[in-house]
Amino acid sequence: ELRNINACIGIFPMIDVIKCYSGFNYSTQIILPEGLTLILFLSKMHASYKPVSYVDIEEFFNHNRNFYESIFQFINTFNKKIEITSDCPGFFNVSLLFSANHEMRQKFEELMFRFVDLTAHADFELSPSENKWVKQIEQVMNDSKAIPVSNDNSTTSLFKSDLDNLVGISTVKTEINKLTNFIKIQKLRKEKGMKSVPLSYHCVFTGNAGTGKTTVARIVAGIYKELGILKKGHLVETDRSGLVAEYVGQTAVKTNKIIDSAIDGVLFIDEAYSLVTDSSNDYGAEAIATLLKRMEDDRERLVVILAGYSEEMQGFIDSNPGLQSRFNRYIHFDDYSADELLKIFELNVQKQDYKLDENAKNKLKKLLDFEVAHRDRNFGNARYVRNLFEKTLENQATRLSNNTENLTEELLANISSDDIPIAS
């Protein structure tokens, strides 16, 4: 049985996964919130893996209880045998398998860091001990040798693929590709001793809600990392509430703390125009001043992306000469068409292992045509589709709940026209 388990989960990656848990002093038990990431990790390595959402994780675990209980028993026994401790720097697979392969080393360390970070935030809190271990893993990554940046198109293949796979936003894709190519050529000129044009990597994303601004910002952060612009390439999201305090003297401290977390990555400020108000007691101006100073002081280590509605963002930038001089790259996100929203819905259906019958698809298309024809600036675009998808699943569950004894996999997967909500 242990041989079968070892074949399923892979002994080498599990050594470092256990090390991540050991650093937190966590017990590898599914009953803990932190056990969720371990279940998801094991599920992906399990031969019969199907995509698991937070909604059905408990049901998924119960369905495979015997398998996972055997794995947990094996993990805890294995952990005691090899006595992995968080005091040992680095990862086992890095030192044993990837020491001579810089690309594989970085990819593996990034995956381990993502695993640690997700696990630490599983209960929506970050204790001092958890924060210490997350920082330690970050340091391990920072101590690794930088991967040489090649001059071919493969450098950004991973994140370019993510960008290309997004539905719609063709103008945005074109602009990001132009920016990427411009950076590559300027780097190549510099390497050959030629003059290069000074670049500003900061951006302003304009457009209505749910048009993919945050998603693209995360991709841009990854592209900047792969091009060697940023060391980490992580994305820190914030808004007015994360920057502006209620009392005098506290805003600069609060803003600096957020910026510190974004160093070597991208700081994404949503609805940035809300930093400026007409109130005389508002401290938004202090947040802007602090941000501008840090953008200058940390210009080699910090990229800022501002986002919000088009008109408000233009007025916000025009209100401050410092903002005007630092933000000159605007990328507009158009609203999705009805066909694009339908495609997003269908992608959600496929991802969650459902099937949309033809009548349901026709009804959904009419609904989306109606909503798009009557939308205003508050229309949620992709966010609206996600909410619509959740309501559809709720309707399906209600329809099926009257006959749970005779439900087949086909019935559980099928979305009928009765499940599609009516227009609001």
Side-chain angles (χ1 to χ4, degrees):
E1 182 181 7
L2 290 181
R3 282 197 300 270
N4 291 335
I5 291 174
N6 183 32
C8 287
I9 66 176
I11 198 68
F12 288 142
M14 281 309 302
I15 292 177
D16 286 319
V17 168
I18 294 171
K19 177 179 174 58
C20 293
Y21 267 72
S22 177
F24 289 125
N25 292 319
Y26 287 161
S27 170
T28 49
Q29 299 293 331
I30 187 58
I31 59 175
L32 299 176
E34 294 83 4
L36 174 62
T37 47
L38 186 57
I39 276 291
L40 293 175
F41 176 85
L42 294 171
S43 299
K44 284 198 172 186
M45 300 191 72
H46 185 194
S48 62
Y49 167 74
K50 291 183 178 181
V52 182
S53 69
Y54 287 89
V55 176
D56 59 14
I57 183 66
E58 184 175 355
E59 179 182 351
F60 181 87
F61 172 70
N62 289 332
H63 182 70
N64 300 277
R65 176 176 291 275
N66 292 336
F67 174 78
Y68 286 111
E69 284 183 347
S70 298
I71 288 183
F72 284 129
Q73 182 180 0
F74 171 73
I75 288 173
N76 289 320
T77 302
F78 181 72
N79 194 15
K80 293 176 183 178
K81 292 289 185 183
I82 61 177
E83 296 182 346
I84 297 175
T85 66
S86 59
D87 296 330
C88 177
F91 291 109
F92 174 80
N93 285 275
V94 168
S95 59
L96 182 67
L97 304 176
F98 306 139
S99 58
N101 189 323
H102 295 292
E103 183 178 359
M104 288 298 295
R105 173 181 184 143
Q106 187 180 52
K107 286 182 178 180
F108 185 84
E109 287 180 340
E110 286 176 354
L111 287 172
M112 285 297 101
F113 175 74
R114 288 168 62 187
F115 181 84
V116 167
D117 192 49
L118 285 170
T119 304
H121 288 86
D123 57 357
F124 303 103
E125 294 181 0
L126 195 65
S127 69
S129 61
E130 289 173 334
N131 184 61
K132 180 181 178 181
W133 181 229
V134 170
K135 294 297 182 184
Q136 186 172 333
I137 298 300
E138 273 190 301
Q139 189 60 46
V140 168
M141 295 173 59
N142 294 339
D143 291 340
S144 299
K145 289 184 179 180
I147 299 176
V149 178
S150 64
N151 294 321
D152 57 28
N153 292 330
S154 65
T155 303
T156 55
S157 60
L158 178 62
F159 289 98
K160 185 179 185 303
S161 176
D162 290 341
L163 181 66
D164 292 341
N165 288 334
L166 294 178
V167 175
I169 60 170
S170 58
T171 302
V172 174
K173 293 175 183 177
T174 299
E175 291 300 317
I176 298 298
N177 286 329
K178 284 182 180 179
L179 174 60
T180 301
N181 293 331
F182 185 49
I183 294 172
K184 285 182 180 181
I185 294 301
Q186 293 304 312
K187 286 175 66 67
L188 185 59
R189 286 175 59 89
K190 187 175 182 180
E191 290 171 3
K192 294 183 178 298
M194 302 171 67
K195 291 183 179 180
S196 58
V197 178
L199 297 177
S200 173
Y201 304 108
H202 311 297
C203 299
V204 178
F205 287 179
T206 62
N208 293 330
T211 48
K213 295 186 290 294
T214 306
T215 299
V216 172
R218 187 171 290 107
I219 291 174
V220 168
I223 290 175
Y224 281 170
K225 180 185 178 183
E226 289 184 328
L227 290 170
I229 306 302
L230 295 170
K231 193 172 183 179
K232 297 179 183 177
H234 63 298
L235 184 77
V236 174
E237 302 174 48
T238 191
D239 54 17
R240 176 186 168 87
S241 64
L243 300 171
V244 181
E246 297 180 5
Y247 304 103
V248 63
Q250 294 182 346
T251 292
V253 175
K254 193 172 185 179
T255 301
N256 276 315
K257 186 176 180 180
I258 288 289
I259 294 173
D260 287 341
S261 68
I263 288 296
D264 295 321
V266 171
L267 178 63
F268 179 82
I269 305 177
D270 197 17
E271 297 182 349
Y273 51 81
S274 63
L275 292 173
V276 176
T277 69
D278 296 330
S279 174
S280 59
N281 296 322
D282 183 71
Y283 303 115
E286 184 180 359
I288 295 172
T290 303
L291 175 65
L292 292 175
K293 184 178 186 304
R294 290 296 301 272
M295 289 174 67
E296 178 61 28
D297 294 344
D298 300 298
R299 56 185 177 275
E300 301 297 330
R301 302 183 62 192
L302 177 68
V303 171
V304 179
I305 296 179
L306 307 180
Y309 292 112
S310 301
E311 292 183 9
E312 285 85 342
M313 287 304 302
Q314 189 62 61
F316 171 64
I317 298 297
D318 292 344
S319 70
N320 188 304
L323 293 173
Q324 292 177 18
S325 64
R326 287 171 176 82
F327 293 94
N328 55 17
R329 189 178 306 280
Y330 288 75
I331 298 178
H332 181 71
F333 289 67
D334 292 322
D335 288 329
Y336 289 106
S337 67
D339 288 337
E340 290 169 342
L341 293 175
L342 177 61
K343 188 172 182 180
I344 293 173
F345 191 99
E346 289 178 319
L347 288 173
N348 278 289
V349 169
Q350 182 181 3
K351 181 179 179 181
Q352 299 301 332
D353 208 17
Y354 284 90
K355 294 181 180 178
L356 192 67
D357 70 31
E358 198 61 31
N359 290 333
K361 184 176 180 179
N362 292 335
K363 182 178 179 180
L364 177 62
K365 181 64 168 64
K366 291 179 181 179
L367 171 62
L368 294 174
D369 285 338
F370 176 85
E371 293 292 347
V372 166
H374 295 83
R375 67 182 167 195
D376 55 22
R377 59 178 282 166
N378 296 317
F379 180 69
N381 284 287
R383 195 174 303 160
Y384 164 79
V385 170
R386 287 194 295 270
N387 292 335
L388 180 64
F389 179 64
E390 291 180 4
K391 291 178 182 178
T392 298
L393 297 190
E394 290 175 1
N395 291 343
Q396 189 231 33
T398 300
R399 175 173 59 82
L400 296 177
S401 62
N402 296 324
N403 187 24
T404 57
E405 295 181 358
N406 299 315
L407 292 179
T408 63
E409 287 189 9
E410 183 178 356
L411 290 173
L412 287 169
N414 184 63
I415 294 176
S416 72
S417 61
D418 293 335
D419 303 327
I420 305 298
I422 59 174
S424 58

